[in-house]
Amino acid sequence: MIKLKNGKQIDGIRSAGSVLSRILAELKAQVAPGVRTADLDATARELIGRLGGRAAFLGYMGFPAAICTSVNEAVIHGIPNGRKLRSGDIVSIDCGIELGGFYADAAVTVPVGTVAPDIEQLLQVTHESLYLGIEQARVGNRVNDISRAIYRCIKSRGYGVVRPYCGHGVGLAIHEDPQIPNYVGSGKNPRLKPGMVVAIEPMVNLGGDDVVLLDDDWTVVSSDRTVSAHYEHTVAILESGPEILTPWE
Ligand code: MG
Ligand code: MG
């Protein structure tokens, strides 16, 4: 069931999104060669606590950290650990927080030092696809309008679109209906209504579409082990148009 949010609830989600944006901006700035993904998680935990929120991912279905850190061929759900980032890597940082009972979810992929031109291009196109999807998050459109815009952008460059994982409703919980796929499938295709709040999150492989789950039962990697990018915003669908509630840029 899709839960429409009233103005007061959207205010609450906007506040959570504002705090989350500050956290992601700090984490982006911390990324550098030699930094461990566990260092990023420690920063996230400290900031979330200091800013009065709660890490929504920590303990969610048993996830052991406040953020997901997915390096290179990892698509999503990477677990922070002692691995040191190296120049040329990319790391996706995905964070969800709860603040005052409201939830926001966002992700950014950050280049470490200098990355190869083809990887730089992958990041640019994945980010662009997120914005093309957000542009379609309008009252009267359907979920498939978001999905199609993302898919066309990614496929026009020949990249792989991750299908088993997708965006979602968010706001009163970290994951709500509806699903927001990054491709046009045959599933439910609800009409977008004022008060819907959705997390839009393209996940894009430099190679093929397929992904596999690693033995840690969390980390999703591209099957061909090509690098993968992931960007996400929480977006409110309002009569006036889409509003990004997690402006981490
Ligand atoms: Mg999400
Ligand atoms: Mg996320």
Side-chain angles (χ1 to χ4, degrees):
M1 193 191 75
I2 298 172
K3 290 180 184 157
L4 300 180
K5 281 78 177 177
N6 62 34
K8 209 169 173 183
Q9 290 170 323
I10 289 175
D11 285 345
I13 303 165
R14 188 184 287 110
S15 295
S18 172
V19 166
L20 176 55
S21 302
R22 280 182 61 184
I23 292 164
L24 280 178
E26 294 248 7
L27 295 174
K28 270 176 75 177
Q30 189 182 356
V31 169
V35 171
R36 295 176 171 87
T37 54
D39 301 333
L40 299 172
D41 185 56
T43 300
R45 290 183 195 225
E46 195 274 318
L47 281 172
I48 293 168
R50 180 144 55 87
L51 296 170
R54 181 179 68 81
F57 295 172
L58 184 61
Y60 183 78
M61 301 183 48
F63 190 75
I67 56 174
C68 302
T69 53
S70 305
V71 180
N72 295 341
E73 73 279 5
V75 181
I76 49 168
H77 302 168
I79 300 172
N81 59 22
R83 176 178 182 163
K84 283 183 178 173
L85 297 170
R86 301 193 306 181
S87 185
D89 286 344
I90 57 172
V91 56
S92 159
I93 302 170
D94 190 350
C95 188
I97 70 159
E98 179 258 316
L99 184 80
F102 299 102
Y103 290 79
D105 185 7
V108 56
T109 301
V110 187
V112 184
T114 307
V115 302
D118 59 338
I119 297 175
E120 186 67 43
Q121 182 77 6
L122 174 76
L123 298 185
Q124 277 176 24
V125 172
T126 306
H127 186 257
E128 182 188 345
S129 77
L130 169 61
Y131 275 79
L132 290 170
I134 291 169
E135 179 60 27
Q136 295 300 317
R138 292 183 180 279
V139 174
N141 275 359
R142 290 181 180 272
V143 164
N144 278 353
D145 292 302
I146 300 172
S147 304
R148 187 179 301 106
I150 293 170
Y151 184 84
R152 280 185 176 164
C153 174
I154 296 167
K155 281 299 171 186
S156 73
R157 312 298 183 102
Y159 297 139
V161 174
V162 175
R163 291 166 179 258
Y165 303 91
C166 59
H168 49 90
V170 63
L172 306 180
I174 193 67
H175 289 132
E176 300 177 15
D177 288 338
Q179 293 199 338
I180 314 285
N182 296 311
Y183 66 99
V184 178
S186 55
K188 286 182 188 170
N189 181 24
R191 198 174 284 284
L192 304 179
K193 294 182 179 165
M196 285 176 68
V197 178
V198 292
I200 301 175
E201 48 180 318
M203 303 159 206
V204 182
N205 299 337
L206 191 57
D209 295 346
D210 294 342
V211 294
V212 288
L213 185 64
L214 294 186
D215 286 342
D216 64 12
D217 279 337
W218 279 107
T219 312
V220 177
V221 302
S222 60
S223 296
D224 57 15
R225 301 304 197 267
T226 56
V227 299
S228 187
H230 175 215
Y231 291 86
E232 177 179 26
H233 271 310
T234 292
V235 178
I237 299 169
L238 305 173
E239 291 286 7
S240 53
E243 179 185 340
I244 295 171
L245 300 181
T246 47
W248 45 254
E249 280 101 340

